[in-house]
Amino acid sequence: MDLVAFAHRVQSASPRPVVGQVLRVTGGLIHARIDGAALGESCRVILPDSELLAEVVGFEGAIVWLAPIGSMQGLLPGCLVYRTGSALQVPVGACLLGQVLDGFGRPLNGEVLPDCEERPCADAPPSALFRHRVTEPVATGLRVIDGLLTCGKGQRVGIFGEAGGGKSTLLGQLVRGTSVDVVVVALVGERGREVRDFLEHQMDPQTRNRTVLVVATSDRPPLERVRAAMTATTIAEWFRDQGQHVLLVVDSMTRHARALREVGLAAGEVPGRGGFPPSVMAELPRLLERAGPGDERKGPGMITAFYTILVEGEGDPVAEEMRSILDGHIILSPRLAASGQYPAIDVLASRSRLMSVVATPEHCEKASRLRALLHRYEDVRFLVEVGEYKPGSDAEADEALAKIEEIRKFLKQGERDVMPFSSVVTWLNQIV
């Protein structure tokens, strides 16, 4: 060993003063005595054989509650804690394209990222006064969405459905078919086996090269599952600030909310409706408002976002909160899925709040007419099935029955089938 070089390194090193130590672990949180630690600040906990990164999520006097980022295996009372003096930073930039990252922006394959910028994981949304207006349609390649639930560049849409209702398949179609510059996908709380399935089955090589995938599987600590959606949003914001159109997909916001609940309850918050503490309902709009149109002073960038929500019966507080914040909702129907219609979107229950803004009046009129025919068919479907309907008694019902097979053909689409927006509108005109 070169002792001269070693002595030089020791002399030039910045000392890291010990500012605290671990007292106990309760409910997945580390309780430590630390002076001056700020909420959201990152700290390093020194284990016997390694280091553990943790984040300040609460405090009571000099006792600070730390949510660990990683496994606490080997943690002992009295372990030393160092403050970093800053909040969590995540890498951003074009260097991330094609990468698969964990909830904190670190490559899952263990490779070292090339030089990237860093940004705080928690950031403020663009100013409401300077955001672009949503005025242009975005082509998703899906007939049922482009034709009847037309979305705009910068719109935020929720996909609501039960477990196993076809959300993953629909997301794969959106990722492959939507006309955007960059795709950022967050898989929050997913099964481990589904990550590789999504990479190899839902994305082709061309899509993979323009995609950043952020993954926090169900076995990861709750803070990492919380940060996955925030990290994906931060990465999408960087591309938006470069003037690009970004597709942001988060699957699912329900698991994100559950992870927030775990952290909140462990920190001593009082549970409210559905067991969710008040902080969860405060955090959801903070995250969702970061997506959407960008600041016009920074360029023309947009984030078009799709969020999946697992609906857990009537009165689901997370589903109700998401529905009230987002710019539209797509409802997946178990009945349609069971009948083999994919995507299994219940058109009559779904809405795009911005369709009247981004689609032409003629397009909106034709979409409204098809909805009316579909609604009339549902009214008389039972009578037809039991043989009680008499043709000629209702002109609109007769038209709906005559066109229902063509409507079903329009609504049903193969997993790898992508249709241009103009062709969708043309077909819609031919039907109605």
Side-chain angles (χ1 to χ4, degrees):
M1 178 184 294
D2 189 338
L3 295 180
V4 176
F6 179 76
H8 178 72
R9 288 177 61 188
V10 171
Q11 291 174 356
S12 61
S14 299
R16 294 192 301 172
V18 177
V19 296
Q21 61 180 173
V22 173
L23 300 178
R24 63 183 180 275
V25 174
T26 304
L29 294 184
I30 301 170
H31 295 240
R33 185 179 297 277
I34 310 175
D35 293 327
L39 198 65
E41 182 178 348
S42 296
C43 296
R44 295 186 180 277
V45 183
I46 308 304
L47 305 182
D49 299 318
S50 61
E51 287 190 2
L52 173 66
L53 194 63
E55 181 177 310
V56 178
V57 296
F59 55 83
E60 185 176 356
I63 307 302
V64 173
W65 305 322
L66 302 169
I69 302 172
S71 173
M72 293 190 291
Q73 190 71 28
L75 183 65
L76 297 171
C79 283
L80 304 181
V81 181
Y82 297 94
R83 287 179 52 198
T84 65
S86 63
L88 178 69
Q89 304 276 322
V90 297
V92 294
C95 59
L96 300 180
L97 293 174
Q99 295 283 352
V100 182
L101 312 174
D102 68 8
F104 303 102
R106 302 171 297 196
L108 278 182
N109 58 12
E111 295 180 0
V112 178
L113 287 173
D115 291 337
C116 291
E117 296 181 34
E118 288 194 342
R119 279 191 175 186
C121 190
D123 207 351
S127 168
L129 290 179
F130 295 100
R131 298 191 88 153
H132 289 285
R133 293 185 62 241
V134 179
T135 57
E136 298 179 47
V138 58
T140 67
L142 287 165
R143 290 188 292 268
V144 62
I145 294 179
D146 290 348
L148 305 176
L149 304 166
T150 311
C151 299
K153 292 182 179 179
Q155 186 168 346
R156 303 161 306 157
V157 182
I159 300 175
F160 297 76
E162 301 176 0
K167 291 185 296 298
S168 297
T169 302
L170 177 57
L171 291 181
Q173 291 176 290
L174 290 170
V175 168
R176 289 190 303 272
T178 306
S179 299
V180 292
D181 302 312
V182 177
V183 179
V184 182
V185 180
L187 300 181
V188 183
E190 283 287 358
R191 306 170 187 87
R193 66 168 179 81
E194 293 187 346
V195 176
R196 189 167 177 182
D197 288 345
F198 191 88
L199 282 170
E200 298 182 3
H201 179 66
Q202 302 294 356
M203 290 197 293
D204 52 50
Q206 183 178 2
T207 304
R208 175 77 181 270
N209 291 335
R210 61 171 182 152
T211 300
V212 182
L213 186 63
V214 181
V215 177
T217 52
S218 58
D219 61 304
R220 301 306 299 163
L223 184 61
E224 183 170 347
R225 283 177 272 139
V226 168
R227 290 303 183 199
M230 300 175 68
T231 296
T233 303
T234 302
I235 294 170
E237 287 172 325
W238 184 89
F239 285 106
R240 178 179 64 188
D241 290 346
Q242 311 310 306
Q244 295 183 293
H245 181 199
V246 186
L247 174 66
L248 173 63
V249 173
V250 179
D251 183 22
S252 74
M253 285 300 294
T254 301
R255 298 191 183 107
H256 173 75
R258 290 174 182 169
L260 282 169
R261 177 174 60 186
E262 288 183 51
V263 174
L265 294 179
E269 285 193 72
V270 178
R273 185 182 172 196
F276 292 94
S279 63
V280 175
M281 298 308 165
E283 286 294 335
L284 289 179
R286 289 195 190 107
L287 176 64
L288 299 176
E289 281 298 319
R290 292 171 60 186
D295 191 319
E296 62 185 11
R297 296 169 296 182
K298 294 184 178 181
M302 295 279 195
I303 298 176
T304 301
F306 288 89
Y307 302 93
T308 68
I309 299 95
L310 294 167
V311 181
E312 300 177 332
E314 294 292 333
D316 184 338
V318 174
E320 289 182 0
E321 183 70 13
M322 292 290 294
R323 193 164 177 167
S324 68
I325 299 170
L326 295 174
D327 306 316
H329 49 274
I330 294 174
I331 310 298
L332 299 183
S333 165
R335 179 179 65 83
L336 294 176
S339 69
Q341 177 179 312
Y342 287 98
I345 295 175
D346 186 343
V347 174
L348 299 179
S350 304
R351 288 289 184 277
S352 170
R353 295 181 180 177
L354 296 178
M355 181 173 178
S356 60
V357 177
V358 300
T360 64
E362 295 79 11
H363 182 176
C364 292
E365 181 184 352
K366 296 296 189 289
S368 179
R369 179 58 183 160
L370 191 144
R371 280 175 171 272
L373 291 174
L374 192 58
H375 185 272
R376 192 69 189 111
Y377 170 77
E378 291 297 328
D379 285 343
V380 300
R381 179 167 61 91
F382 178 74
L383 295 176
V384 173
E385 290 174 351
V386 298
E388 292 296 324
Y389 178 76
K390 295 180 180 180
S393 58
D394 187 315
E396 188 175 39
D398 289 343
E399 183 182 357
L401 290 169
K403 294 182 175 180
I404 189 59
E405 290 305 321
E406 186 68 13
I407 292 174
R408 284 173 175 164
K409 186 178 179 181
F410 178 83
L411 299 178
K412 188 175 181 179
Q413 189 165 345
E415 190 174 339
R416 300 286 170 176
D417 181 15
V418 177
M419 179 170 281
F421 191 89
S422 58
S423 300
V424 173
V425 177
T426 299
W427 192 351
L428 178 63
N429 289 338
Q430 292 172 351
I431 294 174
V432 301

